[in-house]
Amino acid sequence: MNKQTESVTQHAIDYIDELLKPSPYEDIDVEACELHHLIFNQDYFIIGTWQAKQWLGSEVFEAIEKIKEYEQDNFGQVTTDFSCAEKVANMLAYILGEEVLGESKVLRDNWGNSLDRSLLDAIYVELAGSSETTDDVISI
């Protein structure tokens, strides 16, 4: 699932970049515990059946297994409609987004706090660094 994880990571990087774009003097007030929700649960990651099928590719069954395990562990039941590629892709992006952001030391260390511009920038750097490391591993 390297391709999917990489695109989810890039989505998070792009979202944080958009948060940082306004004037450097403008305050940013994002709760650390809400960052995943803002990035992966306020809008669809993928829209369109064709795009969803392309994104899932040959790893669709691995995606379904991951979603089933996640939902069973977190909700006690599986609710994703596996007959809809968009729903599978968006739920997988949600789960992978949680994993990607969970790797951020800055985010973990500030979980109960508001994230200002400098903390968001540090998370951006962490994610961009992990993205580059993944690219290096894939290209070998």
Side-chain angles (χ1 to χ4, degrees), residues 12-20 35 39 120 123-124 127:
I13 290 168
D14 293 345
Y15 188 93
I16 292 169
D17 187 47
E18 287 298 316
L19 286 174
L20 292 169
L35 188 60
I39 297 172
L120 278 169
I123 293 168
Y124 176 95
L127 293 176

Side-chain angles (χ1 to χ4, degrees), residues 40-98:
F40 296 102
N41 207 29
Q42 284 196 322
D43 201 0
Y44 293 105
F45 178 74
I46 287 182
I47 298 174
T49 301
W50 186 85
Q51 289 91 343
K53 287 179 179 179
Q54 293 299 307
W55 187 73
L56 291 166
S58 63
E59 290 148 343
V60 66
F61 293 110
E62 186 179 340
I64 290 170
E65 182 179 335
K66 187 173 196 73
I67 293 167
K68 287 172 104 175
E69 183 179 313
Y70 178 89
E71 289 186 351
Q72 193 63 49
D73 290 349
N74 288 281
F75 311 131
Q77 63 182 348
V78 177
T79 59
T80 297
D81 177 2
F82 295 118
S83 68
C84 178
E86 279 181 285
K87 291 183 181 187
V88 172
N90 284 301
M91 187 60 188
L92 181 63
Y94 179 89
I95 295 166
L96 293 175
E98 192 173 277

